[in-house]
Amino acid sequence: MNELLKITIEKVKEDFISEPDSIIYGELNDGNKSICSNEDPLKEYFDFLRICDGARFGAIDLWSYGELPLHQTRISDFSGGPEKWIEVGQILYEPLVIEKESGFVYCFYQGHPAKIGQTLGEFDCFMLNYVFGKKYKELIPESHLDDWYQYLERVGLA
């Protein structure tokens, strides 16, 4: 995992301890140290789960390791299905997936699963830019009204 991402996650976890209203716009679970995976393209994602086993960042939800099997039904309609994709979360209820071969993150819009959109980068890049950065506003309409984005601005991440 990218060291900057690790530091950012730990800082946000610390902030949330002293900020009782944080549950309204974000939640970071404790990590799951027992996760083992040798799947190299998914390494960044599994590294994340080891320090934060599931989370909610405003309109972005990331499943915990235990929830993964429960959230793979939508990808069965995608070209290549579960052999090619793993659903790791959602953005405004739209599937957030990682392509298993490349490790790149995508958000699919329901009704258009066969059309691959622009990648959001590898997992660490996605986290730093779209979850903890200014690019969150590219994914979330009217992000200036979003409590998570306001938090990012308040702490200097966006």
Side-chain angles (χ1 to χ4, degrees), residues 11 32 55 63 72 87 90 93-94 119 121 125 131 135 142-143 147 153:
K11 180 193 179 323
N32 182 342
W63 314 136
Q72 301 307 305
E87 183 174 333
Q90 62 186 8
Y93 305 106
E94 301 290 355
T119 181
C125 180
V131 173
K135 289 189 173 189
E142 300 199 30
S143 59
D147 290 329
E153 287 183 318

Side-chain angles (χ1 to χ4, degrees), residues 9-156:
I9 290 170
E10 293 305 322
K11 180 193 179 323
V12 172
K13 280 184 175 184
E14 286 177 28
D15 284 354
F16 280 12
I17 291 169
S18 62
E19 197 169 322
D21 290 340
S22 64
I23 192 72
I24 295 168
Y25 52 85
E27 184 176 11
L28 289 83
N29 297 335
D30 291 333
N32 182 342
K33 305 281 188 237
S34 66
I35 296 172
C36 296
S37 175
N38 293 328
E39 297 180 62
D40 198 39
L42 299 176
K43 182 183 180 330
E44 292 178 2
Y45 172 65
F46 287 115
D47 285 349
F48 167 77
L49 292 176
R50 285 184 199 99
I51 65 165
C52 190
D53 189 18
R56 182 174 43 82
F57 307 99
I60 300 173
D61 297 305
L62 296 174
W63 314 136
S64 69
Y65 185 73
E67 293 173 310
L68 284 175
L70 305 172
H71 291 284
Q72 301 307 305
T73 56
R74 297 192 284 188
I75 60 170
S76 61
D77 292 336
F78 295 9
S79 176
E83 294 78 33
K84 184 173 181 173
W85 307 100
I86 181 172
E87 183 174 333
V88 298
Q90 62 186 8
I91 300 174
L92 293 172
Y93 305 106
E94 301 290 355
L96 181 68
V97 301
I98 298 177
E99 184 180 34
K100 290 179 177 181
E101 188 176 293
S102 68
F104 289 135
V105 177
Y106 295 86
C107 182
F108 285 109
Y109 298 97
Q110 292 179 356
H112 300 287
K115 182 180 176 190
I116 297 176
Q118 182 176 345
T119 181
L120 302 175
E122 292 177 334
F123 189 78
D124 285 1
C125 180
F126 163 74
M127 292 295 293
L128 285 169
N129 293 305
Y130 291 94
V131 173
F132 293 113
K134 293 180 184 198
K135 289 189 173 189
Y136 180 86
K137 63 185 176 186
E138 292 177 18
L139 299 176
I140 310 304
E142 300 199 30
S143 59
H144 64 284
L145 300 174
D146 183 278
D147 290 329
W148 173 252
Y149 192 72
Q150 290 173 6
Y151 166 77
L152 293 176
E153 287 183 318
R154 191 167 57 251
V155 298

